[in-house]
Amino acid sequence: VYRYARGLHVRARFEEAVTLYASAASLCSRRGEWKDVHAHALCNWGLVEHAETENFTRAHELYREALEVDGGHVATLCNLARLLDGGNTQTWSTYVSTRWTNCLDANAAEGLYRAALKIAPNHVPTLTNYAYFLENTRESFDEARVMYIKGMELEPNNTILLRNYAGFLCNVEEPYDDDTLMPVHFNTTCNAKGNFDPLTGLPIDPVVDRPVDRARAIYGRVLDLEPPGGGVDPRTGIPVPDYKY
């Protein structure tokens, strides 16, 4: 039942997946068996409520229930942390409209991320989301960089991770001029050589290895790996579902 539910989840048949996740969880609870499957079902059911229906209160309940079944379930620790960290700006309007902003807890989120990585140091979804949290919530850029790089070493073709790291390069590593709001190399390079892309304002022949150019290369790689219309929901940074668990 759980495997069929997960297959429906991957194919974006969310209502059917939820029905079967609920059935799997109920069966496991009645039998008192299959602890791992029980936690998986509750975790992925919570993920649908979290990332698809944006019913954050219900997602929180399901994640907590999964952790009651298995307190060391890494995917649930990661997903619950993501729910509590408030870092997903694409759903911020929903956070506000549902008053979920009152439930955000950065310290609790960080504790959950750390707990997940203590159990599974190479769990890439946790590395990805924790890096994003460190970058945007804590502004701990050195730590975020370490997490991004470790994740890419483990899964060099993970497009969510690559996309987030490209954003990190643009937003953090690339120095900007406060007055012109342009990369600091824009004036020195483009004015001297008159050689820049009129659409992006970026030098065509940069004189230095700039983070924004590395970011552009990474975005190109993401498009090669995952053409527009591919299987990743652009609204969230959350893997759907966490197939490893």
Side-chain angles (χ1 to χ4, degrees):
V1 174
Y2 167 73
R3 289 184 182 277
Y4 187 32
R6 190 171 66 173
L8 292 169
H9 190 163
V10 171
R11 292 166 178 78
R13 293 165 62 178
F14 301 119
E15 290 186 10
E16 296 169 87
V18 162
T19 298
L20 290 179
Y21 282 141
S23 296
S26 177
L27 179 60
C28 291
S29 180
R30 290 198 308 270
R31 295 283 297 268
E33 298 176 344
W34 309 310
K35 175 181 173 181
D36 55 342
V37 175
H38 194 178
H40 297 340
L42 291 168
C43 176
N44 281 289
W45 181 3
L47 189 55
V48 174
E49 302 291 357
H50 180 177
E52 302 305 329
T53 66
E54 297 183 345
N55 184 344
F56 303 130
T57 299
R58 184 58 177 142
H60 186 265
E61 292 170 352
L62 290 164
Y63 289 150
R64 288 296 184 190
E65 192 174 342
L67 290 176
E68 288 177 5
V69 173
D70 180 359
H73 193 260
V74 173
T76 302
L77 292 168
C78 175
N79 290 349
L80 179 56
R82 185 65 171 150
L83 181 64
L84 294 176
D85 73 23
N88 190 4
T89 56
Q90 291 87 346
T91 58
W92 187 256
S93 62
T94 310
Y95 287 149
V96 174
S97 65
T98 61
R99 298 184 179 179
W100 185 251
T101 48
N102 297 330
C103 301
L104 298 179
D105 188 335
N107 291 331
E110 184 158 26
L112 290 163
Y113 282 133
R114 289 184 178 275
L117 290 175
K118 185 175 181 179
I119 297 167
N122 294 334
H123 186 245
V124 173
T126 302
L127 290 168
T128 302
N129 289 330
Y130 189 33
Y132 190 87
F133 170 86
L134 289 168
E135 175 192 350
N136 293 281
T137 301
R138 294 298 195 208
E139 296 188 352
S140 299
F141 303 129
D142 290 340
E143 292 180 84
R145 186 184 302 106
V146 169
M147 295 293 167
Y148 280 130
I149 291 173
K150 182 175 180 179
M152 289 186 295
E153 288 174 348
L154 292 165
E155 290 189 11
N157 293 330
N158 185 310
T159 54
I160 293 173
L161 180 55
L162 289 170
R163 190 165 58 240
N164 286 359
Y165 184 61
F168 176 82
L169 289 172
C170 289
N171 299 329
V172 175
E173 301 282 15
E174 177 71 16
Y176 275 72
D177 185 294
D178 291 335
D179 295 324
T180 65
L181 300 181
M182 296 296 295
V184 295
H185 297 292
F186 175 81
N187 291 329
T188 57
T189 303
C190 296
N191 290 348
K193 303 179 70 173
N195 196 15
F196 61 91
D197 184 335
L199 295 178
T200 65
L202 297 174
I204 294 173
D205 298 312
V207 295
V208 292
D209 177 25
R210 295 173 46 218
V212 72
D213 295 306
R214 282 182 277 146
R216 183 162 51 182
I218 291 172
Y219 281 131
R221 183 175 172 195
V222 169
L223 290 174
D224 289 339
L225 292 167
E226 182 186 280
V232 173
D233 183 343
R235 296 173 302 138
T236 72
I238 307 169
V240 182
D242 185 347
Y243 61 89
K244 292 186 176 179
Y245 287 85

